Amino acid sequence: MFLLRKPILALSGSSAVRGAVSSAPLTRSVVDRFIPGETTADAVAAVSTLRAKGLQVTLDHLGEDTADRATADANVQAYLDVIAGLSTAGQVAGSEVSVKLSAVGQALIAAPDLPGGGNAYALSGACRIADAAYAAGARMTLDIEDHTTIDQTLEVLFDLRRTHPDVGVAIQAMLLRTPNDLAELTGPGSRVRLVKGAYDEPADVAFTDPDQIDLAYVRAMKLLMYGKGYPMIGSHDPRMVAIADKIASDASRSPDRWEHQMLFGIRPDEQERLVSAGKTVRVYVPYGADWYGYFTRRLAERPANLLFFLRSLATRG
Ligand SMILES: Cc1cc2nc3c(=O)[nH]c(=O)nc-3n(C[C@H](O)[C@H](O)[C@H](O)COP(=O)(O)OP(=O)(O)OC[C@H]3O[C@@H](n4cnc5c(N)ncnc54)[C@H](O)[C@@H]3O)c2cc1C
């Protein structure tokens, strides 16, 4: 079933398939399992429900590969709105926002009136979000996208950290470059979310065998747990969850010095079990109308998610 990952990820780029899937009447009910809603109010309501259970949150306003400045600006504004919404609801302190730089303009092409190109545009949008988040008592982490964007994303990260040293970043264990990147990212206070990696990467830049990815994940966990930063272990894999607990204990890390992270709707019982066991758990809450790319990555990652989707189309369509 791992073999299906590549074709599904390839389909995520097809606009014909995007149209067909997005307009299928039953897609919505399946999407709801992974995404609590489209509006700021939906996101804030989901945060209130999760925090009442002792879970922490990081909010992702869905969007990626933005091709024009108006959409990039609207995505920045959506983050400012949700930060304000969290403040009004008394839910902002300790909450986090997760930002994809491609949503706020990283992919824009340099032009005479855009001399710095997309990365400069994304930096200025991300800066506005970080200013609002930290002024309100929240924090921010940069998501990480496909391998071609990583140098630019780390450049933006280090720029942002000049004014907001707490800004975090996701790092993908599957990439061969990751141990080098971690050497620069395990300093005091550095927040790093370790994930396996959700993109279809070529074998010259990434491990493609699942066992090798798991081994790389464990090696990276050790670097983070024995480093001086704040590790955020983003995985639903029961083995990685157990190994994280063991390494944290060996490294004498108390639950306030690292955290588990999982996606909204994936293993919710396990999220609550970990909270009951005294662990810090943060749930990544994606919301918004542009859910297609996120949704197809979730289908690609787990056979049961794909079967669940196909079964619901077959039985109710
Ligand atoms: C908080 C968070 C943020 C992320 N941010 C990024 C990012 O910025 N960039 C990026 O590339 N990727 C990101 N990812 C996705 C990540 O890279 C992986 O694609 C995704 O987490 C799947 O890998 P996994 O470690 O959870 O387990 P997998 O290797 O997918 O699965 C291993 C095992 O976990 C269990 N499992 C997995 N899913 C389920 C489920 N639905 N129900 C029950 N058991 C399940 C099963 O036992 C499965 O065999 C993020 C993931 C998380 C949790």
Side-chain angles (χ1 to χ4, degrees), residues 144 172 193 196-199 235-238 266-267 301-302:
I144 204 89
Q172 296 155 327
R193 176 202 301 152
K196 288 188 186 178
Y199 295 82
S235 179
H236 314 97
D237 185 337
I266 299 192
R267 304 196 72 207
E301 186 164 275
R302 180 158 161 82

Side-chain angles (χ1 to χ4, degrees), residues 64-138:
E64 51 197 272
D65 300 331
T66 297
D68 61 85
R69 282 182 240 181
T71 311
D73 295 348
N75 285 335
V76 171
Q77 188 58 48
Y79 277 103
L80 304 185
D81 292 347
V82 87
I83 292 164
L86 290 173
S87 290
T88 307
Q91 298 288 355
V92 79
S95 289
E96 188 188 287
V97 289
S98 283
V99 177
K100 279 188 178 51
L101 291 180
S102 81
V104 294
Q106 190 178 50
L108 297 176
I109 313 283
D113 62 339
L114 191 62
N119 221 41
Y121 205 79
L123 171 62
S124 99
C127 222
R128 289 176 62 206
I129 299 169
D131 288 347
Y134 285 93

Side-chain angles (χ1 to χ4, degrees), residues 40-214:
T40 301
D42 293 335
V44 174
V47 167
S48 302
T49 305
L50 292 164
R51 287 181 43 136
K53 296 177 183 170
L55 293 156
Q56 302 302 317
V57 294
T58 184
L59 280 166
D60 165 37
H61 178 261
L62 290 163
E64 51 197 272
D65 300 331
T66 297
D68 61 85
R69 282 182 240 181
T71 311
D73 295 348
N75 285 335
V76 171
Q77 188 58 48
Y79 277 103
L80 304 185
D81 292 347
V82 87
I83 292 164
L86 290 173
S87 290
T88 307
Q91 298 288 355
V92 79
S95 289
E96 188 188 287
V97 289
S98 283
V99 177
K100 279 188 178 51
L101 291 180
S102 81
V104 294
Q106 190 178 50
L108 297 176
I109 313 283
D113 62 339
L114 191 62
N119 221 41
Y121 205 79
L123 171 62
S124 99
C127 222
R128 289 176 62 206
I129 299 169
D131 288 347
Y134 285 93
R139 14 175 61 128
M140 171 167 146
T141 290
L142 298 180
D143 282 353
I144 204 89
E145 302 178 69
D146 76 79
H147 78 277
T148 61
T149 63
I150 294 183
D151 286 337
Q152 289 187 313
T153 298
L154 293 180
E155 210 178 281
V156 168
L157 173 78
F158 294 130
D159 259 329
L160 288 171
R161 280 186 172 181
R162 284 195 206 139
T163 39
H164 300 294
D166 181 75
V167 172
V169 68
I171 288 289
Q172 296 155 327
M174 75 187 295
L175 293 184
L176 304 180
R177 61 178 283 163
T178 283
N180 283 339
D181 289 336
L182 286 181
E184 276 195 273
L185 288 167
T186 47
S190 175
R191 292 191 312 112
V192 175
R193 176 202 301 152
L194 181 66
V195 297
K196 288 188 186 178
Y199 295 82
D200 181 26
E201 300 289 11
D204 58 332
V205 300
F207 295 110
T208 54
D209 171 62
D211 291 337
Q212 284 192 321
I213 296 173
D214 286 356

